[in-house]
Amino acid sequence: MTEAQGDGRPDGLTGAERRMWEAFREGTVCDLGARDAGLDDPHAGRAWGPERRVRAEVVAHLLLAGPAPLPGRVGRLKLRGAQITGRLDLSGAVVTPYVEIRACRFDGEVQVSETRFGTLRLDNCAVPRLEGARLHTEGDLHLARCRVARGIRLTDARIGTDLLLGHTVVHRDDRGRAIAADGLVVAQDLQADMLETHGEVSLRGAKVGASMSLRGARLSNRDGRRALNAPTLTVERTLYLTSIGLSSPTADPERPYDWGRTPTTGGPAQRFECRGGLRLDDGRFGDSADFYGARFELRAEQEVSLRRVQTPELRFVGEAPELGRVVVSGAKVVKLVDRSTSWPGRGRLSMEGFVYEELAPRGHFPLSRRLEWLEAATPEYSPEPYERLAAVLRAGGEDAGAREVLVAKQRCRRATLSPAARAWGYLQDWTVVYGYRPGRAALWMAVLWAAGTLLFLRHEPAPIKADEHPQWDAALYALDLLLPVIDLGQQGQWKLEGGWQWGSAALVLLGWILATTVAAGASRLLRRG
């Protein structure tokens, strides 16, 4: 281009480009639209005439070497309803003016790799591809309501305030990724409500300074392994993978619904949906990770993986996937908020090393269902999940529930033992419930004492020493046989023969069994104390 005007305006500008140039100097909006909603839709596919076309090289020239603004004005590019022909390449540049491009159609990809902006807003635009590796903005990056045909790349980008991706639709690139943003840093919020992606969203090692919201988003990667791949993601406040309320229409034609509300009971809402695996391994979330109303559609080999996640509150209140697995192994949370219907069945849940301190179930979640939750996570016996649940129940004052969990642990363990040890386990279970029901031991002792008393009331044996023996007392003798440690002065003083001798031996043996099981239960209580 050659300069023909004193303000640096190149020769050969079209009428639309001259309007854009003048609007830049004045700091006003250059609206090239037809003022008709159907004709102005950049995604409708209707052809736009030359009166709406501006060349990408002219846009770049305006941003990088544009004219000084008119006195008292601020030079800025605010373009609406234009078709930008060619590839807009600003790679490595420093763009000083404010940039806002709305309802525009790009014919070529947008190249902003290693570019520095104050604020960049692309709103409701059709973009073949956005290449923004190591992009840096001092303010916001807005990509709301856009349609991107071949993916967005924001690897190692630095966003000075907010990143907005709400209502944007992004299709996959040649590598199967819709959004590639590994190492992305957002100083404040990442807002991607109602985002729709067709390909992997990769946020490995990304950091968000406030909250990250994908409420009502629909992430899909039918041809790949994961729809959201975000290990070591750090969100200083809350990660929202939740439903979003759809309230009544508004008067703003560009915002037909108020999208930002929490769903109300019975009100219209759109769920967060993930069609493909989700990976948040080693993530850190400062306030909570919220899955309220989330829906997962997985293949058998895919996972919702929350390995080693750390957060004060995990709200796992969505729908259990019909296939695939949920993994929370090694995760550490303070409060677990969940529903009985949120977790998958046996063999499809893993929680080895899962640490939580409080339970806050939503809806009906009785202890019997909670035990089924543990069984689903331990197809092969593992004591740790049972002991963790028992500790949490005991800390909450539910001692009876804690005992039920520990009994269930012993019954689960019993299946792994040898036949002899398994038989001993059944005997402990039937008699004193592994020592967790001491009252049952007293009951068995009373029954055996009564039976022994009735047995020996029918027989008064001869003393071993005729001149040195206590008075015969059937009840005292039966009790002396049952108590294996205490000597009441009856056992060893009388001659028993035949069946009577076998009866006394049976009482001694049963007494030892009761004493052993009670001692085992007492030792467990002491260890827990």
Side-chain angles (χ1 to χ4, degrees):
M1 292 183 186
T2 60
E3 296 186 2
Q5 306 293 332
D7 62 359
R9 183 184 308 177
D11 286 332
L13 294 184
T14 65
E17 291 167 352
R18 286 194 297 271
R19 288 177 60 186
M20 179 178 67
W21 196 273
E22 291 299 330
F24 179 88
R25 296 191 68 201
E26 296 171 357
T28 58
V29 176
C30 176
D31 190 349
L32 302 179
R35 308 296 174 88
D36 181 286
L39 295 176
D40 287 343
D41 185 357
H43 316 294
R46 292 187 176 91
W48 288 355
E51 72 282 358
R52 303 183 65 169
R53 296 174 189 163
V54 297
R55 287 168 290 172
E57 59 185 285
V58 176
V59 174
H61 185 89
L62 188 60
L63 292 175
L64 301 179
L70 296 176
R73 301 296 180 90
V74 177
R76 53 191 172 185
L77 177 62
K78 300 185 75 172
L79 184 62
R80 184 193 300 261
Q83 180 173 348
I84 301 173
T85 61
R87 184 178 70 172
L88 180 60
D89 190 350
L90 299 169
S91 300
V94 177
V95 179
T96 303
Y98 172 88
V99 181
E100 181 181 291
I101 301 176
R102 304 185 66 181
C104 289
R105 181 183 296 166
F106 290 82
D107 288 351
E109 66 182 42
V110 177
Q111 289 274 358
V112 288
S113 296
E114 301 188 35
T115 308
R116 297 183 70 92
F117 286 92
T119 292
L120 174 61
R121 298 175 186 259
L122 301 183
D123 181 35
N124 192 29
C125 292
V127 184
R129 175 170 173 79
L130 190 142
E131 181 68 44
R134 296 172 296 283
L135 167 71
H136 186 110
T137 69
E138 298 295 334
D140 295 345
L141 173 60
H142 287 209
L143 301 172
R145 301 192 301 159
C146 293
R147 303 291 184 272
V148 185
R150 299 194 305 276
I152 296 173
R153 185 183 181 199
L154 293 172
T155 306
D156 297 318
R158 299 292 185 269
I159 310 302
T161 50
D162 298 332
L163 171 59
L164 275 65
L165 291 163
H167 306 272
T168 290
V169 178
V170 189
H171 293 271
R172 59 185 296 173
D173 61 13
D174 295 339
R175 300 179 63 182
R177 294 180 299 183
I179 299 176
D182 299 340
L184 170 71
V185 176
V186 180
Q188 295 184 19
D189 292 326
L190 195 166
Q191 299 176 0
D193 296 344
M194 307 286 285
L195 172 69
E196 181 180 330
T197 59
H198 301 272
E200 182 181 284
V201 176
S202 183
L203 292 166
R204 295 180 297 178
K207 297 180 180 180
V208 179
S211 294
M212 176 174 168
S213 176
L214 285 93
R215 295 180 297 174
R218 291 175 172 171
L219 312 183
S220 177
N221 189 13
R222 297 186 182 277
D223 299 324
R225 184 176 180 184
R226 299 183 181 96
L228 177 59
N229 185 23
T232 66
L233 171 66
T234 299
V235 179
E236 294 296 333
R237 298 189 65 183
T238 299
L239 171 66
Y240 295 99
L241 304 178
T242 69
S243 299
I244 190 170
L246 307 178
S247 58
S248 58
T250 69
D252 185 353
E254 295 184 352
R255 188 180 173 89
Y257 289 89
D258 185 0
W259 302 105
R261 300 189 177 182
T262 301
T264 56
T265 303
Q270 179 168 309
R271 294 178 179 270
F272 169 83
E273 295 183 355
C274 185
R275 296 183 176 93
L278 181 146
R279 183 188 182 200
L280 294 174
D281 297 351
D282 300 292
R284 301 293 184 268
F285 310 105
D287 288 345
S288 65
D290 193 348
F291 291 80
Y292 178 83
R295 175 183 293 161
F296 302 100
E297 186 177 310
L298 308 177
R299 297 193 298 270
E301 72 278 8
Q302 293 175 331
E303 296 179 340
V304 175
S305 180
L306 306 177
R307 292 175 173 89
R308 299 173 299 280
V309 161
Q310 294 187 23
T311 180
E313 186 169 333
L314 174 60
R315 303 171 191 157
F316 202 77
V317 194
E319 293 184 4
E322 295 182 2
L323 295 174
R325 303 174 68 235
V326 173
V327 183
V328 290
S329 299
K332 294 182 179 180
V333 306
V334 177
K335 179 186 290 187
L336 174 61
V337 183
D338 62 350
R339 285 198 180 108
S340 61
T341 56
S342 299
W343 303 99
R346 186 174 181 84
R348 295 173 45 230
L349 172 62
S350 178
M351 62 170 69
E352 191 69 28
F354 180 32
V355 177
Y356 51 95
E357 299 177 15
E358 301 175 32
L359 287 172
R362 297 285 180 88
H364 186 57
F365 206 153
L367 184 58
S368 59
R369 295 292 298 275
R370 187 66 75 179
L371 289 174
E372 292 176 5
W373 175 64
L374 290 185
E375 291 173 4
T378 53
E380 297 181 358
Y381 171 68
S382 176
E384 195 278 334
Y386 291 90
E387 291 167 359
R388 168 57 51 182
L389 177 58
V392 170
L393 293 174
R394 192 180 303 110
E398 300 181 41
D399 290 338
R403 288 194 295 270
E404 288 294 331
V405 172
L406 293 173
V407 169
K409 182 192 79 168
Q410 293 294 336
R411 289 170 177 165
C412 184
R413 174 178 175 271
R414 188 170 62 203
T416 67
L417 301 177
S418 64
R422 195 177 308 142
W424 175 245
Y426 277 114
L427 185 59
Q428 286 187 300
D429 196 356
W430 291 336
T431 53
V432 291
V433 194
Y434 291 99
Y436 293 105
R437 295 287 186 274
R440 185 177 294 188
L443 178 61
W444 276 108
M445 184 68 74
V447 169
L448 292 173
W449 185 19
T453 300
L454 292 175
L455 175 67
F456 290 114
L457 280 174
R458 300 170 55 190
H459 175 66
E460 182 174 348
I464 294 176
K465 298 181 180 180
D467 56 348
E468 187 180 334
H469 63 85
Q471 184 177 356
W472 169 253
D473 188 312
L476 197 59
Y477 183 72
L479 186 59
D480 201 2
L481 293 174
L482 284 170
L483 298 177
V485 178
I486 302 173
D487 184 4
L488 299 180
Q490 288 286 333
Q491 188 178 1
Q493 300 292 326
W494 311 95
K495 294 180 180 179
L496 294 176
E497 299 176 349
W500 300 106
Q501 193 172 12
W502 283 104
S504 65
L507 286 178
V508 171
L509 178 61
L510 292 172
W512 273 106
I513 291 173
L514 284 175
T516 303
T517 54
V518 169
S523 67
R524 281 192 289 268
L525 289 172
L526 288 173
R527 285 199 301 270
R528 293 199 301 272

